[in-house]
């Protein structure tokens, strides 16, 4: 089945530690995205990548880093510089840059900082 | 100013009734797209319907339709014949422009819909 997988589903981290969230897609999509969702709020864009080996900052990139070495994979690292990392993280992908292409989402990773 | 505004934090509807979820947007870009997503309690975002700014007709997808009023900058989602499985959070989102910015979406804060027997 084609889709987007995110792992792990739940993640606990101690303060001061970096942690990497996985996102893999087998939809052959060019573009991939990372969003953060806090309770009572909509999704906010962290980083996005339109093509392999290229990515851009979204609205809330501080304290996060990404890489796009393969088309299928777009891992997100939450660094210790992120002041309030506890949130629900969603990865998405889309065919390309055209506006009519909807984004397909993974199941999400819930990160809790202890 | 908020780019996407959803003023209804929560809505109740009876099974088999229709319900309208409100969404207003703010953009100066003549080319934009509007999306609605459903988020069940499991957390995954499910795409429902899309409306382009140049589309002449309102979008429809099964029981979902989009009431697009361009002059008022509103893109309300109408769900007909509500089902218990429609209980979820619903998000309106906008994509501005066709070039340069990728396919970035700006989301509203969502409306929690509860379908009752």
């Amino acid at each position: 089945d084609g889709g987007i997988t995110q792992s792990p589903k739940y993640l606990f981290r101690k303060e001061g530690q970096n942690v990497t969230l996985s996102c893999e897609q087998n939809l052959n999509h060019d573009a991939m995205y990372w969003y953060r969702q806090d309770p009572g709020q909509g999704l906010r864009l962290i980083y996005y990548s339109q093509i392999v080996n290229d990515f851009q900052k979204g609205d809330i990139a501080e304290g996060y880093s990404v890489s796009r070495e393969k088309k299928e994979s777009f891992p997100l690292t939450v660094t210790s510089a992120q002041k309030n990392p506890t949130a629900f993280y969603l990865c998405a992908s889309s065919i390309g840059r055209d506006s009519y292409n909807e984004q397909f989402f993974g199941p999400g990773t819930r990160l809790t900082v202890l | 100013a908020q780019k996407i505004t959803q003023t209804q934090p929560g809505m109740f509807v009876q099974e088999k009734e229709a319900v309208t979820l409100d969404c207003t947007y703010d953009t100066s870009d003549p080319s934009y797209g509007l999306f609605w997503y459903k988020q069940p309690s499991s957390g995954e975002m499910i795409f429902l319907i899309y409306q382009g700014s140049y589309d002449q007709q309102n979008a429809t997808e099964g029981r979902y339709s989009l009431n697009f009023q361009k002059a008022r900058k509103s893109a309300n989602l109408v769900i007909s014949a509500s089902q218990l499985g429609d209980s979820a959070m619903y998000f309106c989102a906008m994509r501005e422009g066709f070039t340069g910015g990728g396919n970035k979406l700006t989301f509203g804060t969502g409306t929690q819909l509860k379908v009752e027997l």
Side-chain angles (χ1 to χ4, degrees):
Chain A
D1 280 27
I4 302 174
T5 56
Q6 290 185 245
S7 60
K9 189 173 177 66
Y10 297 95
L11 189 56
F12 298 89
R13 182 195 105 175
K14 291 183 180 179
E15 274 193 51
Q17 289 181 336
N18 291 359
V19 63
T20 297
L21 281 58
S22 167
C23 177
E24 304 277 332
Q25 54 99 359
N26 60 3
L27 300 167
N28 200 32
H29 285 173
D30 285 317
M32 296 187 75
Y33 314 82
W34 274 106
Y35 293 92
R36 168 184 173 136
Q37 186 178 24
D38 294 285
Q41 297 191 32
L43 280 64
R44 292 182 291 167
L45 182 66
I46 304 172
Y47 267 98
Y48 65 102
S49 167
Q50 298 178 60
I51 198 166
V52 175
N53 292 323
D54 185 49
F55 50 82
Q56 287 80 40
K57 292 181 179 180
D59 300 319
I60 55 166
E62 186 175 349
Y64 299 98
S65 66
V66 293
S67 62
R68 186 85 188 276
E69 297 175 2
K70 299 187 298 182
K71 188 175 185 177
E72 307 79 36
S73 179
F74 191 41
L76 173 74
T77 297
V78 185
T79 75
S80 56
Q82 170 49 235
K83 297 189 188 317
N84 186 18
T86 294
F88 187 52
Y89 291 86
L90 284 155
C91 177
S93 70
S94 66
I95 293 174
R97 295 169 49 173
D98 292 337
S99 67
Y100 55 81
N101 293 138
E102 72 269 27
Q103 293 182 15
F104 295 84
F105 285 80
T109 292
R110 196 167 297 278
L111 173 64
T112 302
V113 174
L114 303 172
Chain B
Q2 294 287 332
K3 289 199 170 186
I4 294 285
T5 302
Q6 295 181 255
T7 57
Q8 307 153 311
M11 291 276 288
F12 289 91
V13 65
Q14 286 205 314
E15 196 181 21
K16 300 178 186 175
E17 297 287 309
V19 62
T20 298
L21 306 183
D22 296 340
C23 173
T24 57
Y25 59 92
D26 183 28
T27 181
S28 57
D29 196 321
S31 301
Y32 55 90
L34 296 156
F35 300 78
W36 276 92
Y37 282 86
K38 172 184 178 181
Q39 187 179 41
S41 56
S42 59
E44 188 167 352
M45 298 284 282
I46 302 166
F47 166 74
L48 296 177
I49 197 167
Y50 166 81
Q51 180 83 44
S53 60
Y54 294 119
D55 292 343
Q56 295 296 315
Q57 294 188 328
N58 287 346
T60 60
E61 287 286 349
R63 293 186 300 110
Y64 304 107
S65 61
L66 204 151
N67 184 1
F68 182 47
Q69 298 188 41
K70 198 169 182 177
R72 295 185 178 185
K73 292 190 175 179
S74 75
N76 299 339
L77 176 71
V78 180
I79 305 175
S80 62
S82 297
Q83 303 171 355
L84 294 177
D86 294 335
S87 294
M89 182 73 88
Y90 288 81
F91 289 97
C92 179
M94 178 172 63
R95 196 276 199 191
E96 294 173 277
F98 283 98
T99 61
N103 195 11
K104 295 186 296 179
L105 294 179
T106 301
F107 285 82
T109 53
T111 295
Q112 181 72 49
L113 177 67
K114 174 75 173 170
V115 180
E116 301 174 314
L117 289 169

